[in-house]
Amino acid sequence: MGLDGARSHDERTTATPRTPMPHPRPPARVPFDLAAWASAPRPEADPGVFRQDHRQLDPDRAEAAKVPTWPLLLRAGLNAVVGWLAFVYGTQLALRVIVLTVWVDHPSSTAVTVVGLSVNALVLAVVIKVFGRMGRWPEVWRRYALPLLSRTVTEEVPAAEEEQSEAARRRDPWAVLRQGGAGVAAGRLDGEAVGDVDYVRIRRAWESAQADPAFLPAFVEQVSLRGAAAFAHPSEARELPGRAERHDLLLGQVRLGTAQDVPKNPLTHRSAGFALDPVVLGTSLLAVGPAGTGKTARLARPVAEALCLQALAGTACAVVIGAADADLGPDAWYDVVIAPGDPASRYGLDLYGAAQDPDEAAARLAEALLPDELTARAETARTALQQMVAPFHAAFGRYPGVRELRALLAGEPESLEALVKGLRAAERLGSFERDLEHREHQRGRADDPGALLADRLALLDRPAFEGAFATDGTGRPPFAMRVLDHPLRVRVKLPERSHPEAARMLSRLLVGQFVQAAGSRGDRSLFAGLVVDDASAALDAGIVRGLQRLRGANAGVVLLLRTLVDLPEALRAPLFGAVGCRAAFPGIAPWDGKLFSEAWGTHLVRETAVTLAPDTSGGIVRRAGRLGRKALSGTTAQTESVTTREVERLRWSPSDLAHALPAGHAVVSLTAVSGEQVPPLLVDLRG
């Protein structure tokens, strides 16, 4: 699918990219060095490691580095002295034994030299093997001698040789185009300022052109005509204003912080950059922490920024949901900004998600309308809504608006008569006659689900929402979730302050539509990412089940919660099982920490126990000495017994998660789409 396809989708269900609003000029950035960035080393690493310029850590060296400097040098020096003495006296002893046992009379000078050198070499090898291992001479060489030697050699290299080495390291970023027959295009790009977004976008277009040689002339023509702006996003944007995080778009990674050098973290991640990418976001992420702990600023906003950049590069689509005042990036980051309740909003929302099946659309809407305490009536409510939505769609070729649906569910005679006339005109009355009769029998009863749904729809039938959910073409252009196969950037601002219950319904509806649409996409080449700033009202049993299907659909969800208590108890454990990545922020409640602790399980640790007991050994003299010591110092002589064993301990206890996490940190566990897992990491998210 080409990027130009985003322009041709249905205008009725998808708003065209919005004109960016004025935004303060960001601070001046250092000129981007494309060659150095493209050729930077990116070694293979475990999930969660920021791979650009990452240095692999040798586990043996890491363990040895735990020894402090002075004890290490002192031990090495003592072993060197003892080793020298052992070499001197060992050589003399070996030669004396040889003379007394196998030495021949009147040996030649050559034989004497060969025997002497052989004995010296043999004794020296034994000394180095034994005392070098005890004194850790190889570690001293790696930690101190080798860096000093390397620094000395580097200082002796002429400046010209350094420049030649640097030039050789920075290979041509467009070499693959020249080798593939697009030298003209590469020459045009050489003379322009190309950013990382442009580079990834053009490389992706080149890979698509390579799939069919017939596309090669079109690729060269586009690049020759537009240069670095070739194959641009439909909005023509090539960068995000106010971009702040460190990204590696070649791998889709965004760097969030640094994994701390603590025993709880695996050796492979200690002091390494911590990053998220579609490989781990594809299993979805749940983050829990009180307000003010950095969930939005240090997790949701950077991930939203990364998804928007990837959308500009043509590798992802982004949907970001949160309150109107949530800091999830400026409006200029997004193509479509939906703000129900704001008269100035340019775009509306399709309550049915442009679903092709009326029963499917009605079922999702019914689940979103009902609050948590009424989920027991979800089945009857779903049926009642389907009995109205499907006939209306058959009669008029569109879905009912909020006011029309509310009138039908409430049983207003004028609305029902109009529906029957429409069905007769469409010659579909016979197909839905039984549904209409059933609704007529239900009307007026105490357990009528239609009355309940009509009352819930009244929360959306407010003057503030005028034109926000129109289905007849008279309101604002509605956005529908079925466009997740286009690189769109969508921001939904929920009216949590002015209409909190309506915001809860819309949140649940949007998340449900995303899960449904992402899992049923025909084209899954783009990663579909959803960020929900406050997911406490957005989750139900159907959505939790749907999260597991996203792993195979190249899609993922980032869910932020203040506390798990906001969710029904029956959803908490299934939610932990449905997501592959979990993050605990400082200050979570112990009962929240218990679920994290149970999910992360236990591991084996080496535990040392010291037992002290009164010393009763020895004869009369030692006992008398102990009595005198006790009389003078007031302490009793004791014996010390040390026991070391391996025991199972929780990786992170609920108490540690609730009380021991420093500010600006989080404990994060990751699971890749391939199934590779990373145990919980203590991460500093402040830089």
Side-chain angles (χ1 to χ4, degrees):
M1 186 213 45
L3 291 176
D4 292 336
R7 308 183 187 196
S8 61
H9 61 271
D10 190 356
E11 294 293 338
R12 187 185 68 82
T13 57
T14 306
T16 55
R18 71 190 303 272
T19 302
M21 299 295 292
H23 191 275
R25 183 181 297 274
R29 299 180 60 190
V30 177
F32 183 68
D33 189 343
L34 176 64
W37 176 80
S39 60
R42 293 172 174 86
E44 291 295 327
D46 292 340
V49 174
F50 189 71
R51 289 168 50 185
Q52 183 181 344
D53 294 322
H54 172 65
R55 293 187 176 182
Q56 297 282 10
L57 182 65
D58 184 358
D60 295 334
R61 293 178 60 183
E63 286 293 335
K66 294 180 180 180
V67 181
T69 298
W70 286 113
L72 179 65
L73 295 178
L74 179 61
R75 179 183 299 173
L78 290 176
N79 278 272
V81 172
V82 176
W84 171 254
L85 295 176
F87 170 72
V88 172
Y89 291 105
T91 303
Q92 296 177 359
L93 179 61
L95 290 174
R96 184 170 298 179
V97 170
I98 292 174
V99 169
L100 294 176
T101 55
V102 298
W103 196 253
V104 298
D105 294 334
H106 308 294
S108 65
S109 59
T110 302
V112 172
T113 302
V114 170
V115 171
L117 292 176
S118 300
V119 170
N120 281 312
L122 180 62
V123 174
L124 182 61
V126 173
V127 167
I128 292 176
K129 178 69 174 179
V130 175
F131 294 97
R133 184 174 182 179
M134 291 192 298
R136 295 190 175 182
W137 293 352
E139 180 60 27
V140 173
W141 172 262
R142 285 194 298 262
R143 286 174 63 174
Y144 305 105
L146 193 59
L148 181 62
L149 181 61
S150 176
R151 189 181 305 115
T152 303
V153 173
T154 303
E155 291 174 354
E156 294 176 357
V157 175
E161 294 183 8
E162 288 185 357
E163 294 178 0
Q164 293 176 1
S165 176
E166 184 68 14
R169 188 183 70 83
R170 299 184 178 185
R171 60 178 179 81
D172 179 12
W174 305 114
V176 64
L177 270 65
R178 303 183 205 278
Q179 296 169 1
V184 176
R188 171 65 191 273
L189 294 170
D190 285 337
E192 294 200 12
V194 181
D196 54 352
V197 175
D198 300 326
Y199 182 79
V200 173
R201 187 184 65 250
I202 294 173
R203 281 289 298 266
R204 185 171 185 268
W206 170 252
E207 292 171 359
S208 299
Q210 289 293 95
D212 189 345
F215 293 149
L216 183 59
F219 173 87
V220 175
E221 180 183 0
Q222 177 74 217
V223 175
S224 301
L225 181 65
R226 304 197 64 192
F231 309 102
H233 187 267
S235 66
E236 295 296 331
R238 295 167 53 193
E239 184 58 280
L240 292 183
R243 171 177 169 180
E245 307 299 330
R246 184 181 177 188
H247 301 267
D248 183 9
L249 292 181
L250 277 178
L251 301 177
Q253 290 189 316
V254 53
R255 192 181 192 277
L256 300 183
T258 304
Q260 296 298 279
D261 187 5
V262 295
K264 283 182 176 290
N265 284 352
L267 286 172
T268 53
H269 287 74
R270 293 179 191 174
S271 301
F274 176 76
L276 295 178
D277 54 31
V279 174
V280 295
L281 291 179
T283 63
S284 296
L285 186 148
L286 172 66
V288 181
T293 54
K295 300 191 307 300
T296 301
R298 298 188 176 112
L299 177 60
R301 180 183 167 111
V303 171
E305 181 179 305
L307 291 174
C308 288
L309 283 172
Q310 292 170 30
L312 294 181
T315 60
C317 58
V319 180
V320 180
I321 302 173
D325 57 353
D327 183 16
L328 295 170
D331 289 355
W333 282 11
Y334 302 96
D335 305 309
V336 177
V337 178
I338 307 165
D342 183 1
S345 177
R346 296 178 54 188
Y347 305 110
L349 183 65
D350 189 340
L351 295 180
Y352 304 94
Q356 303 298 322
D357 183 7
D359 287 343
E360 178 184 342
R364 184 66 255 168
L365 180 58
E367 293 173 354
L369 290 176
L370 295 181
D372 297 334
E373 58 269 17
L374 295 178
T375 51
R377 303 180 61 180
E379 190 62 39
T380 57
R382 186 183 303 113
T383 302
L385 202 59
Q386 290 171 340
Q387 290 170 343
M388 291 290 96
V389 172
F392 191 97
H393 187 271
F396 302 105
R398 63 178 178 87
Y399 293 111
V402 173
R403 189 162 298 174
E404 293 168 323
L405 184 57
R406 180 187 176 191
L408 289 172
L409 290 170
E412 294 184 4
E414 297 82 1
S415 300
L416 292 174
E417 289 176 6
L419 177 59
V420 172
K421 289 181 181 179
L423 287 172
R424 284 199 182 102
E427 298 181 354
R428 299 290 303 275
L429 181 60
S431 303
F432 298 99
E433 190 171 5
R434 293 185 60 184
D435 285 345
L436 297 177
E437 290 178 354
H438 186 269
R439 284 299 310 131
E440 182 66 25
H441 293 155
Q442 290 282 331
R443 190 175 60 175
R445 296 177 52 177
D447 59 346
D448 179 15
L452 171 63
L453 291 172
D455 291 341
R456 299 292 294 173
L457 279 170
L459 296 171
L460 300 180
D461 189 16
R462 303 293 303 159
F465 299 133
E466 188 70 27
F469 312 116
T471 61
D472 55 1
T474 60
R476 306 166 194 165
F479 166 78
M481 284 290 180
R482 74 175 184 181
V483 297
L484 295 180
D485 52 355
H486 297 287
L488 286 176
R489 303 166 294 161
V490 182
R491 169 76 162 97
V492 182
K493 297 183 175 181
L494 299 177
E496 290 190 354
R497 294 186 181 275
S498 57
H499 301 82
E501 192 59 31
R504 291 171 61 87
M505 288 192 296
L506 293 175
S507 176
R508 186 158 48 236
L509 177 66
L510 287 165
V511 176
Q513 288 181 353
F514 177 89
V515 171
Q516 198 172 45
S520 60
R521 288 184 301 168
D523 182 3
R524 297 179 176 180
S525 59
L526 299 181
F527 176 79
L530 172 68
V531 179
V532 186
D533 185 53
D534 183 4
S536 57
L539 299 174
D540 57 31
I543 292 175
V544 171
R545 289 193 298 269
L547 291 178
Q548 297 176 334
R549 296 193 294 269
L550 296 181
R551 299 191 182 196
N554 196 24
V557 176
V558 177
L559 304 171
L560 274 59
L561 289 173
R562 292 187 179 91
T563 174
L564 293 169
V565 177
D566 291 341
L567 299 179
E569 187 173 358
L571 282 182
R572 298 171 194 171
L575 177 61
F576 262 74
V579 299
C581 307
R582 309 172 185 94
F585 281 74
I588 65 172
W591 43 87
D592 290 344
K594 182 179 179 182
L595 276 175
F596 279 99
S597 183
E598 292 175 351
W600 288 333
T602 61
H603 65 148
L604 289 176
V605 297
R606 181 167 294 181
E607 186 179 82
T608 300
V610 180
T611 304
L612 300 177
D615 187 2
T616 59
S617 62
I620 297 176
V621 176
R622 292 191 61 183
R623 293 180 182 179
R626 287 196 294 268
L627 290 175
R629 174 184 173 183
K630 183 176 182 180
L632 293 174
S633 64
T635 59
T636 303
Q638 295 179 325
T639 59
E640 184 178 279
S641 175
V642 179
T643 303
T644 302
R645 59 177 181 174
E646 288 189 342
V647 295
E648 280 196 1
R649 290 288 182 266
L650 291 172
R651 296 182 183 273
W652 282 88
S653 69
S655 178
D656 288 341
L657 293 173
H659 306 293
L661 289 187
H665 292 63
V667 180
V668 189
S669 65
L670 302 175
T671 302
V673 176
S674 60
E676 188 176 0
Q677 294 185 340
V678 176
L681 306 170
L682 177 62
V683 181
D684 185 355
L685 300 175
R686 294 172 297 182

